[in-house]
Amino acid sequence: MARGAWEEAVAFLETVPREERSAPRLQLLEARAYQKLGRWGSAQRAAARVVEASATHSSWERGQPRMLAVALGSAAALELGDGKKALDFFSSVLKYDPDQSSVREQYKKLKAVLKLTEEAEAQLTKGYNHKAVKALDDVLGKLRGMDVGSALFRAQ
């Protein structure tokens, strides 16, 4: 879709009263449109509404609007540099479906990457550039181990 079409979609959705656009698929379309326009904060909020509205203690399967919203929301949070919020999206899945193994695995890996990134930042702040480079090498190693091609990280 061309950028103009996404802008038209957002403009239309913003005219619809919130109570009338509460369907998860419509909210997911809104999150996707914001994402395509690079409006990461709005995309994250719209995705969070989908997750909140469809959160139930049942199986969370790939392809469901709520799982797509988790992918969109976590990607938007990472674009904004908010790793904790990205983890929150994953943890919401695990709260309602603790047996969701693919999300659990990606959650653990993302948490490890964020911890290593914090360590690298701390080393840079202290002026220990060599230690920071080592920590960033560890981050790259962890990223290579993550399934960044999975639907959980591929919200494009």
Side-chain angles (χ1 to χ4, degrees), residues 109-147:
K109 290 179 179 180
L110 179 59
K111 190 172 183 177
V113 164
L114 293 174
K115 182 179 178 187
L116 288 170
T117 304
E118 285 177 17
E119 289 175 18
E121 190 172 327
Q123 296 301 331
L124 277 175
T125 302
K126 293 176 186 176
Y128 300 136
N129 294 338
H130 293 293
K131 290 181 180 180
V133 169
K134 167 71 172 99
L136 289 174
D137 282 341
D138 293 342
V139 168
L140 287 174
K142 287 281 186 189
L143 284 173
R144 287 186 192 106
M146 294 179 76
D147 186 10

